Amino acid sequence: MTVSAFICGTSGPTLTADEIAFLREAQPWGFILFKRNCETPEQIRALTAALRDTVGRDAPILIDQEGGRVQRLGPPHWPAYPTGRTYGDVFARSPEAGLRAAWLGARLMAADLFGLGIDVDCLPVLDVPVEGAHDVIGHRAYGVTPDIVSDLGRTAAEGLLTGGVLPVIKHIPGHGRAGVDSHHALPVVDTPRAELEATDFPPFRDAAHLPLAMTAHVVYANLDPDHPATTSKSVIDEVIRGLIGFDGCLMSDDVSMQALSGTIAERTAAALAAGCDLALHCNGVLAEMEAVAANAPALTGVAADRAARALAARRRPAPLDEAEARAEFARLTGMPSV
């Protein structure tokens, strides 16, 4: 079966007849869910089963479940998890407690997700925000120094993996300095390369062994003044693959975000030509999904090998006493709702 080099969303809590026909033909590598797709546990389990049945394979299903303001699943059916910065605050009081809290938070989110048929979480956020940057990252980050971000991010990734869910490190090579929200405009960062290497890149370098990463729609003027990382062959080859050393499966951030220029077709082609293994499209608009599919080739060669290695990294969840884990998490973080 030929699989195509893209990931897409769908429009709602169930698949439409047009979506089924499209997905069966287009064969995306995987899918991503948003709040529009998530109503109840039973409904999500039915949707994830339907997505896999439509393409005829155990396709990965992604979600953004970070905690704080970025979580697609929440009350009343699922807990409200804290921001990444909460773990950094606990870490500041006790590094041991902070690391344990980050691991537990991710492990508990994995327990929520795995039972729904969701096996990839777009977490951890390894961006290092700086003063004056746009708050699109803000408290999603674990802290404001690379060592704290690195330690807590790698620990959270291991918590997900232990629960049977693959982590996606984001937004490589770093979104923390962006002055605007890349959902709406293109950030341009003019920080010298040496400073980026000292502060922004280290958390990604420390997590380069992980299976999946998502690019940043950010122009780094001293790396490539003409293209954001997502569509920059030099940034991907020299920095992400070279200096940082990430050799896993690289997906773009959402090609429907307004940081990118051109048509959806042009954005897709540019991201894949630059070296992304997969193009990510999130909004569930079928006409746009068709344009992505038309410009996403079959997943072959090195990209296919990386994608296969990512799926091979999936584990069976380790045993977990959820009640005990949630009680410990509440003690560490002061978040009894979890």
Side-chain angles (χ1 to χ4, degrees):
M1 180 180 295
T2 301
V3 176
S4 296
F6 75 100
I7 300 164
C8 65
T10 57
S11 62
T14 60
L15 295 178
T16 67
D18 287 343
E19 286 172 339
I20 291 171
F22 165 74
L23 296 173
R24 191 167 286 154
E25 175 67 23
Q27 288 292 319
W29 181 76
F31 306 97
I32 187 165
L33 303 186
F34 286 83
K35 282 188 176 181
R36 66 179 182 269
N37 308 115
C38 301
E39 294 180 344
T40 67
E42 295 76 13
Q43 170 266 322
I44 295 176
R45 282 191 285 268
L47 177 59
T48 57
L51 288 166
R52 291 183 171 116
D53 181 66
T54 298
V55 295
R57 55 191 160 81
D58 187 20
I61 297 180
L62 294 71
I63 198 166
D64 287 297
Q65 188 74 352
E66 298 175 9
R69 57 189 164 89
V70 180
Q71 49 186 334
R72 312 309 182 196
L73 306 178
H77 298 293
W78 301 278
Y81 288 92
T83 64
R85 187 63 54 84
T86 298
Y87 305 114
D89 292 342
V90 177
F91 186 94
R93 298 192 297 269
S94 165
E96 182 180 3
L99 292 169
R100 178 64 176 168
W103 186 90
L104 278 170
R107 179 65 185 87
L108 289 167
M109 283 193 283
D112 297 336
L113 300 178
F114 190 83
L116 301 172
I118 301 168
D119 56 1
V120 183
D121 190 4
C122 298
L123 180 79
V125 176
L126 297 184
D127 306 309
V128 182
V130 299
E131 186 175 355
H134 192 281
D135 67 359
V136 64
I137 299 300
H139 281 194
R140 295 166 66 189
Y142 296 106
V144 295
T145 59
D147 54 344
I148 290 175
V149 171
S150 179
D151 289 348
L152 291 172
R154 285 183 291 111
T155 299
E158 186 56 37
L160 290 176
L161 286 164
T162 304
V165 172
L166 293 178
V168 180
I169 59 174
K170 61 185 186 184
H171 306 80
I172 197 168
H175 205 300
R177 297 178 183 273
V180 296
D181 182 347
S182 57
H183 290 85
H184 306 296
L186 176 62
V188 177
V189 170
D190 59 6
T191 304
R193 176 173 179 144
E195 189 172 349
L196 294 173
E197 292 181 7
T199 59
D200 299 57
F201 300 167
F204 296 99
R205 192 162 54 238
D206 290 344
H209 62 285
L210 291 170
L212 292 160
M214 179 186 293
T215 62
H217 292 338
V218 175
V219 167
Y220 306 92
N222 289 298
L223 302 178
D224 180 345
D226 299 318
H227 305 92
T230 299
T231 60
S232 172
K233 184 169 177 55
S234 62
V235 171
I236 291 176
D237 287 352
E238 297 171 19
V239 176
I240 294 176
R241 299 298 190 189
L243 182 64
I244 290 173
F246 178 73
D247 191 38
C249 186
L250 183 67
M251 67 184 73
S252 73
D253 203 345
D254 180 10
V255 295
S256 67
M257 289 164 60
Q258 295 312 301
L260 301 184
S261 60
T263 65
I264 294 295
E266 290 167 342
R267 299 174 189 185
T268 301
L272 295 171
C276 290
D277 299 311
L278 301 165
L280 173 66
H281 181 267
C282 294
N283 66 24
V285 175
L286 185 57
E288 291 190 10
M289 291 156 58
E290 291 170 340
V292 171
N295 288 272
L299 191 58
T300 59
V302 174
D305 291 342
R306 291 174 178 143
R309 279 193 278 118
L311 294 185
R314 290 185 289 192
R315 308 176 190 172
R316 293 185 61 84
L320 177 72
D321 183 328
E322 279 198 45
E324 182 178 308
R326 293 188 190 280
E328 181 185 1
F329 185 80
R331 289 193 301 272
L332 291 170
T333 63
M335 298 284 293
S337 62
V338 171

